[in-house]
Amino acid sequence: MSFKEIEFKVYDGKPEDFSGAVLIALSEESVKADKAAAFRDIISGLAERKDFTGKKGALTRVPLFNNKVKNIYLLGLGKSEEVNAAVVRDKLAQAFRTIGRQHNNSCLLMLDECVEVKGDVLIEAAELASYKFDKYKSQDEENNNKDEKNFALNEIFVLNKLCDKCSAKGKIFAESQIFTRELANEPGCVINPPVLAEIAAEQAKKFNLECEIWDENKLKAEGCGAILAVGSGSATPPRMIHLIYKPKNKARKKIAFVGKGITFDSGGLDIKPSNFMTTMKGDKTGACDVLGILTGAAKLELEDIEVHGFMAAAENMPSGSAFRPDDIIKARNGKTIEIDNTDAEGRLVLADALCLASELKPDAIIDMATLTGACMVALGRWRAGLFAKAKDDALAEAILSAGKRRGEDFWRLPAEDEHIEEELKSPFADMINSGPRYGGATFAAIFLSQFVDKNISWAHLDIAGVDFMDKETGVYAKGASGFAVRTCLDYLVNL
Ligand code: BES
Ligand code: MN
Ligand code: ZN
């Protein structure tokens, strides 16, 4: 896997004696006032510079300063009143990536006085920025460095010691998300449901998690007809994976995470057009998130919170054995579903998983899924949908705040609507699975709610749109983002 564990160390010498690159992050006001006294020793006349105004995200490389400092980089943080953890994490990540690729091994970080972030934010920025999915690229002399230089940054120096606890937390957050990215980036020819189950079992062993895997026979015996239907067209059968983190002390809270694990979504018999099918290896991101969260919970050694994870894994393929439009299937809770679109498969695998999670009577269930194109149309590529009923406002608020702290944006959308609920009706079964075009993301949320125990707090995260990045930006590399892993871990830590 291509990522670096980056060490943060304290530098107590003079900045002008530093032998690597120096990165100076400044707000627009600090540039104008040329007031950052600590930086004057190595660079002055900031206010007069035409090539650097402190604009948010701007990075300027100042050529060789003296024989010791290799490079000085100026990073703009924008207006000081708008500087927050998300901005600092995002812009530092981009800067670390550039500096690392320009063959700098070590970097001294000097932050403007308006920056108030702890070590977790800095570690997240540095480690997430170092990740790239490049294991299938030949690394010979010629191919290597062809388009992008290798990331060389190994150590970052700061002027004040970072808090150990925060740093350890940030490292676990980042590394859990990187694990999820690496898994979600693997193509469908490598990861199918049984392989995903094996990887989950391996991770469970490594981190002392309990793990139970249901194969197709057990799923049949247990009445999980929805996930079985989705997987029926594939040469590789579905799996329901249940992971448990048990704390040392008596559990004060029990939280269940549920993830959509479609290892490839062709659409099934309602096959997708080809330009909608590429990136559908990423349709397993919800389940990969859940595995990242469970291993993260174990690494954090949460004291008194029991965490459950359900990964609902199936491959949605067209074939002679595939489920069809018009089929009527039965989910774990006995409810029947008339299939009107085989491409609305995520809600089906989640239906069985949400029933199983409900049976454990947890304090809260949070599901995550690359569920609807509609959510992506509504919110774009950098913000995920958060669906919760009015009764679950507290859970929704907790997730929104955790997302803010981690720089993962969520936007609350409705999970109840009496008119859309009407559209769920089927003439022949308890409900249909897809429904009309408008309000598709809320329709999906209302569909899911049919399988959640009404007495349990529940939130649904629709991560279609944010699961797979078109291009490198901030903490994200091109490809899988692992979106929601850090938010959910932060939610657990602050519970
Ligand atoms: N996996 C897709 C949703 C998706 C689309 C995720 C784009 C990421 C990017 C999901 O299974 C799907 O196909 N949804 C359909 C539902 C429709 C048939 C009701 C959609 O959104 O078009
Ligand atoms: Mn689909
Ligand atoms: Zn899908």
Side-chain angles (χ1 to χ4, degrees):
M1 174 171 358
S2 176
F3 98 96
K4 278 199 171 165
E5 283 186 46
I6 293 166
E7 249 195 283
F8 276 77
K9 299 174 181 167
V10 179
Y11 179 71
D12 50 18
K14 289 188 189 147
E16 62 265 36
D17 291 335
F18 189 73
S19 61
V22 176
L23 171 61
I24 307 174
L26 293 168
S27 70
E28 289 174 19
E29 288 84 350
S30 293
V31 173
K32 260 191 216 126
D34 196 12
K35 71 170 188 186
F39 310 128
R40 283 238 189 95
D41 294 342
I42 62 169
I43 190 162
S44 59
L46 279 178
E48 286 85 58
R49 294 189 74 98
K50 295 269 183 293
D51 60 347
F52 182 71
T53 58
K55 196 169 153 271
K56 198 186 336 182
L59 187 69
T60 301
R61 180 180 175 183
V62 182
L64 200 67
F65 167 72
N66 62 20
N67 290 338
K68 289 178 191 145
V69 176
K70 270 174 72 183
N71 291 301
I72 295 176
Y73 291 87
L74 299 171
L75 172 66
L77 295 174
K79 301 214 168 16
S80 60
E81 68 199 33
E82 289 166 19
V83 172
N84 58 31
V87 170
V88 173
R89 183 191 291 105
D90 219 49
K91 302 309 165 200
L92 276 184
Q94 196 65 50
F96 287 146
R97 189 181 282 124
T98 303
I99 294 170
R101 285 196 188 138
Q102 293 181 350
H103 299 291
N104 296 289
N105 293 304
S106 113
C107 168
L108 169 63
L109 174 63
M110 297 172 80
L111 292 168
D112 199 333
E113 56 197 16
C114 71
V115 174
E116 287 168 18
V117 299
K118 298 215 172 99
D120 49 350
V121 171
L122 303 182
I123 301 242
E124 281 178 324
E127 295 207 356
L128 290 168
S130 76
Y131 174 74
K132 199 164 86 177
F133 183 58
D134 59 2
K135 64 186 275 202
Y136 294 105
K137 267 185 174 283
S138 307
Q139 292 293 317
D140 56 76
E141 289 276 308
E142 255 183 59
N143 278 320
N144 198 13
N145 295 353
K146 207 172 192 176
D147 42 3
E148 290 160 358
K149 305 267 192 311
N150 275 351
F151 188 91
L153 213 51
N154 286 318
E155 49 177 16
I156 295 170
F157 286 87
V158 283
L159 298 175
N160 300 307
K161 192 180 174 327
L162 304 182
C163 138
D164 286 335
K165 224 175 132 193
C166 302
S167 306
K169 191 177 79 177
K171 196 171 154 63
I172 292 170
F173 286 2
E175 290 175 11
S176 304
Q177 189 160 56
I178 288 168
F179 172 83
T180 294
R181 289 180 184 181
E182 185 74 358
L183 191 56
N185 271 323
E186 289 284 359
C189 61
V190 176
I191 307 274
N192 56 44
V195 170
L196 191 58
E198 272 169 41
I199 293 172
E202 243 170 58
Q203 290 300 110
K205 206 164 165 203
K206 196 163 152 198
F207 293 102
N208 257 318
L209 301 166
E210 288 174 31
C211 174
E212 193 178 332
I213 294 163
W214 286 4
D215 67 7
E216 64 276 25
N217 298 321
K218 178 75 172 164
L219 286 168
K220 196 163 179 203
E222 294 287 346
C224 295
I227 189 174
L228 279 169
V230 173
S232 62
S234 170
T236 52
R239 294 286 182 267
M240 183 69 78
I241 304 152
H242 180 193
L243 300 158
I244 312 171
Y245 167 75
K246 287 234 167 94
K248 271 199 215 94
N249 304 339
K250 189 178 173 319
R252 177 169 58 83
K253 285 250 156 86
K254 190 181 348 177
I255 309 296
F257 295 95
V258 173
K260 167 177 174 181
I262 300 298
T263 57
F264 187 74
D265 182 12
S266 69
L269 288 174
D270 286 308
I271 199 160
K272 287 179 184 294
S274 59
N275 53 335
F276 283 86
M277 210 187 287
T278 45
T279 76
M280 280 303 134
K281 66 174 184 177
D283 214 19
K284 60 186 180 301
T285 299
C288 298
D289 276 352
V290 168
L291 186 52
I293 293 164
L294 265 285
T295 55
K299 286 195 207 169
L300 287 164
E301 299 178 10
L302 298 172
E303 268 174 28
D304 50 9
I305 298 169
E306 184 172 312
V307 188
H308 290 256
F310 288 91
M311 301 161 66
E315 189 185 33
N316 190 19
M317 295 294 256
S319 81
S321 60
F323 75 133
R324 316 157 187 79
D326 293 349
D327 278 2
I328 295 175
I329 61 174
K330 195 190 269 186
R332 163 86 177 173
N333 65 354
K335 291 196 178 166
T336 56
I337 307 159
E338 182 190 359
I339 304 302
D340 61 341
N341 194 324
T342 62
D343 198 10
E345 83 299 336
R347 60 199 73 181
L348 298 173
V349 301
L350 290 172
D352 285 335
L354 287 167
C355 293
L356 292 170
S358 294
E359 288 166 23
L360 300 170
K361 303 259 175 251
D363 295 287
I365 299 176
I366 301 173
D367 79 72
M368 52 209 77
T370 46
L371 206 62
T372 67
C375 187
M376 191 170 172
V377 169
L379 300 179
R381 307 294 310 269
W382 287 276
R383 188 170 281 150
L386 163 63
F387 300 76
K389 295 186 177 181
K391 75 171 179 68
D392 298 324
D393 275 351
L395 175 62
E397 284 305 319
I399 296 171
L400 287 170
S401 325
K404 270 220 173 74
R405 288 191 293 271
R406 302 285 43 109
E408 293 183 327
D409 272 340
F410 290 85
W411 196 265
R412 182 122 175 232
L413 292 168
E416 42 202 345
D417 179 308
E418 52 179 319
H419 302 291
I420 296 179
E421 263 151 52
E422 279 295 306
E423 296 171 348
L424 210 62
K425 286 190 178 147
S426 154
F428 310 119
D430 296 335
M431 65 193 93
I432 53 170
N433 77 321
S434 139
R437 187 167 128 84
Y438 299 110
T442 288
F443 181 98
I446 291 171
F447 180 93
L448 295 180
S449 73
Q450 309 302 310
F451 305 92
V452 180
D453 183 328
K454 303 274 176 289
N455 298 314
I456 300 170
S457 294
W458 165 66
H460 156 58
L461 311 179
D462 193 333
I463 52 172
V466 293
D467 66 312
F468 208 85
M469 294 296 161
D470 266 351
K471 57 174 197 284
E472 205 174 76
T473 29
V475 296
Y476 302 110
K478 190 178 168 76
S481 65
F483 202 100
V485 168
R486 286 183 296 115
T487 296
C488 291
L489 286 174
D490 188 297
Y491 161 79
L492 288 173
V493 167
N494 288 290
L495 207 58

